Amino acid sequence: MSALAEKWDLDRQRYFWMYGESGSSERVVFDETTGIWNVYGHAEALHVANSPHIFSSDTGRLIPERREFDEGSITQLDPPRHTALRKLITHAFTPRAIDELEPRVHAIVQDLLDRVTDRAGFDLIADFAYPLPVTVIAELLGIPASDHDLLNGWVDRMMSTTTEFSLGERDVSVDNAVADAMEQVRHITDYLREHVKDRRSHPREDLLTALVQAEVDGQRLTENEVANFANVMLVAGHVTTTLLISNTVLCLDAHPEADRAVRQDRTAVPTLLEESLRYLTPIACMVRVTTAATDVGGVTIGPDQMVAVWLSTANRDKRVFSDPYTFDPARELNPHIAFGRGVHFCIGAALARREGRIAMNALFDRFPALRCDPDNPPAFMTNPNLNGVTRLPVVG
C-alpha cells in the first residue's frame, strides 16, 4: 500500500493502483460495463504508445461529441498530420529555448512566493503551483495575464467530473458530464479563436501568431485548427506541471525522511521529480482506438476498440520497478512513462521538469518546514483520469 494513500485514506476504487489492485496478474483486461480495454502493464503500455498505426489517437471515431474539437488537436491526430503540426512548435521547447525562458521562470517563482512568505499558511495550488506554469505557457502563446482566472475556471470545471466514461449503455449522468465538459472546452476554444482572429491582422512575437502564419502542405491552418491546437498547449502546458509541483509536495509530506534527505542534498531534486512523476503520475491514463485486430500482452483486441492505457499502474509494474510502492527520491532505475512515449511524448516535458526543479528549490529555500496543513486537508481531484489535488493548504 502507498503511504500517501494511507495517510489521506484515499478511496480504494478510485485509487486502485495505490493499493496494489492494478490487475497485476492480468495486464490486459476488458471491462464489460464500459466496453473499454484496460492496459495495466509497463511493457504493454509501451507497445500501445509505440504503435500509432494500430492504436490511433483519433478517439473521436468512437466519441462523436468531441469531433468539433479534434481538428488541429495534436493529441487526437496520427502521423503524418500529427508530425507536421507538432513540428510547428518544436522550436519553443528546444533546450536553448528553455534556457532562455529560465530567468523568466525564476522571476515568476520569486514574485509568487513573495506574496505568501509572510503568511501563516497558503494554498499551494491557487497561490503557486497553478499560476506559475499557466503564466509561462500563456506568455508563450500571447494570452494576457488578466484572463488567467477566467481560463482556470473553465479548466477546473472541465476536469471536475466524477463520472467514468463508458462506451456501453450510458445513463443521464454520463451524458450530462460529457456535455458539460465539452461546453467548457467550447468556452476555451471560442476565447482562443478571438485571439486567432486578432493575430491575423495584428501579428505579434508569440506562438499564436506562429500558428496563424504557419503552412502545412502549402495551406494555412484554419481558425478552428489553431484554436484547438492552442487549447491543447494551454491545458496540457499547465495542468501536468501544476500537478507535478503539488504532487511532489504531497509525496514529501507523506515521507518526511525523504523530505529531509532532499533538503540536505539538492542534487537529488531532479530524481525527486522523476520519482514523484512515477509514484503519483499526474495523467492517470491515455486512450487509443484500434485500427485493426491486434495482440497486446497475449490478448487479442479487435478493430475499433477503445483502449485505456493506465500510466499509473504501468509506473508501478514490479517487472520494471523494484519496490514499486516505495517512494524513493534516489531511485536510479526509473523508466516511468508519466509523459507518455512514442510520437505523442509530451513536447513540453523538458519545460515541465525545469519549472518543477526551479519551483521545488525555491520552496525549499523559503520554507524550511513546508508541510500539509494538518487542520485543513487537501482536496483530491475527482476526475478519474487525473491524479492530484485541487486545493493544497500548506504551512511552513
Side-chain angles (χ1 to χ4, degrees):
M1 177 191 294
S2 161
L4 192 151
E6 185 176 14
K7 175 168 185 173
W8 301 111
D9 192 26
L10 299 182
D11 179 77
R12 295 186 74 96
Q13 183 174 358
R14 164 69 172 83
Y15 293 95
F16 66 95
W17 44 273
M18 278 193 168
Y19 293 92
E21 298 162 5
S22 58
S24 57
S25 60
E26 294 182 273
R27 296 187 172 89
V28 181
V29 180
F30 182 68
D31 187 333
E32 294 185 359
T33 301
T34 63
I36 297 173
W37 289 88
N38 293 297
V39 174
Y40 297 120
H42 190 274
E44 293 77 13
L46 288 180
H47 172 65
V48 173
N50 290 321
S51 308
H53 58 293
I54 299 174
F55 299 94
S56 171
S57 295
D58 183 14
T59 59
R61 294 163 53 194
L62 301 183
I63 312 175
E65 295 95 334
R66 62 159 300 119
R67 263 305 189 192
E68 67 177 284
F69 307 111
D70 288 348
E71 184 186 15
S73 173
I74 58 174
T75 60
Q76 297 295 310
L77 294 173
D78 299 318
R81 184 67 175 177
H82 167 269
T83 306
L85 291 187
R86 185 179 171 109
K87 285 181 179 179
L88 298 179
I89 58 169
T90 53
H91 68 280
F93 300 98
T94 62
R96 179 178 178 180
I98 293 172
D99 286 343
E100 292 175 350
L101 275 175
E102 182 162 331
R104 178 57 181 149
V105 175
H106 277 288
I108 296 169
V109 165
Q110 296 307 320
D111 177 61
L112 292 172
L113 293 183
D114 284 345
R115 302 178 192 182
V116 299
T117 297
D118 294 331
R119 297 186 198 171
F122 62 97
D123 181 352
L124 189 81
I125 299 290
D127 295 323
F128 185 66
Y130 165 74
L132 167 59
V134 80
T135 299
V136 173
I137 193 64
E139 287 183 358
L140 282 173
L141 284 168
I143 296 172
S146 57
D147 291 343
H148 292 180
D149 287 343
L150 178 66
L151 292 165
N152 188 36
W154 292 328
V155 173
D156 279 354
R157 187 166 177 181
M158 178 177 67
M159 295 185 171
S160 65
T161 181
T162 60
T163 305
E164 182 179 7
F165 182 77
S166 173
L167 289 174
E169 186 174 344
R170 286 163 45 168
D171 58 25
V172 174
S173 64
V174 174
D175 289 336
N176 288 342
V178 172
D180 187 60
M182 292 303 100
E183 181 181 0
Q184 308 317 309
V185 177
R186 189 173 292 107
H187 285 314
I188 299 173
T189 53
D190 285 347
Y191 166 87
L192 291 170
R193 197 173 288 107
E194 291 304 310
H195 284 280
V196 171
K197 292 177 181 177
D198 175 72
R199 294 308 189 280
R200 293 202 186 280
S201 53
H202 302 93
R204 305 179 190 176
E205 293 293 326
D206 56 35
L207 281 180
L208 268 182
T209 300
L211 291 173
V212 166
Q213 296 178 341
E215 290 188 0
V216 178
D217 297 329
Q219 292 187 327
R220 292 279 179 93
L221 303 181
T222 67
E223 288 183 357
N224 199 43
E225 284 180 312
V226 176
N228 287 335
F229 196 146
N231 175 43
V232 171
M233 290 186 63
L234 178 66
V235 176
H238 83 268
V239 169
T240 300
T241 308
T242 295
L243 294 179
L244 170 58
I245 296 168
S246 54
N247 286 359
T248 301
V249 172
L250 272 175
C251 289
L252 291 175
D253 177 78
H255 301 86
E257 71 291 346
D259 182 63
R260 289 190 294 270
V262 176
R263 285 176 180 273
Q264 292 172 4
D265 179 12
R266 295 292 187 84
T267 63
V269 169
T271 54
L272 163 68
L273 294 172
E274 299 307 309
E275 180 67 344
S276 172
L277 287 164
R278 183 198 71 84
Y279 189 80
L280 191 55
T281 306
I283 308 300
C285 75
M286 64 181 188
V287 180
R288 300 289 186 264
V289 175
T290 54
T291 60
T294 188
D295 179 276
V296 183
V299 176
T300 298
I301 300 178
D304 296 317
Q305 297 292 299
M306 184 166 286
V307 178
V309 179
W310 288 90
L311 306 179
S312 299
T313 63
N315 285 337
R316 288 172 182 253
D317 192 328
K318 62 184 179 182
R319 298 174 298 176
V320 178
F321 305 96
S322 61
D323 300 319
Y325 292 89
T326 298
F327 180 73
D328 179 11
R331 186 181 293 273
E332 294 183 1
L333 183 62
N334 192 357
H336 70 76
I337 53 175
F339 287 119
R341 285 289 177 88
V343 298
H344 282 279
F345 180 80
C346 177
I347 195 170
L351 177 58
R353 286 174 165 128
R354 187 74 60 93
E355 290 177 315
R357 176 177 60 77
I358 294 170
M360 291 310 303
N361 274 304
L363 287 171
F364 288 150
D365 289 340
R366 294 285 188 114
F367 305 101
L370 187 70
R371 66 191 188 281
C372 296
D373 187 341
D375 299 319
N376 196 0
F380 281 82
M381 305 186 86
T382 57
N383 189 315
N385 296 319
L386 297 170
N387 296 319
V389 291
T390 56
R391 185 172 57 85
L392 182 55
V394 294
V395 293

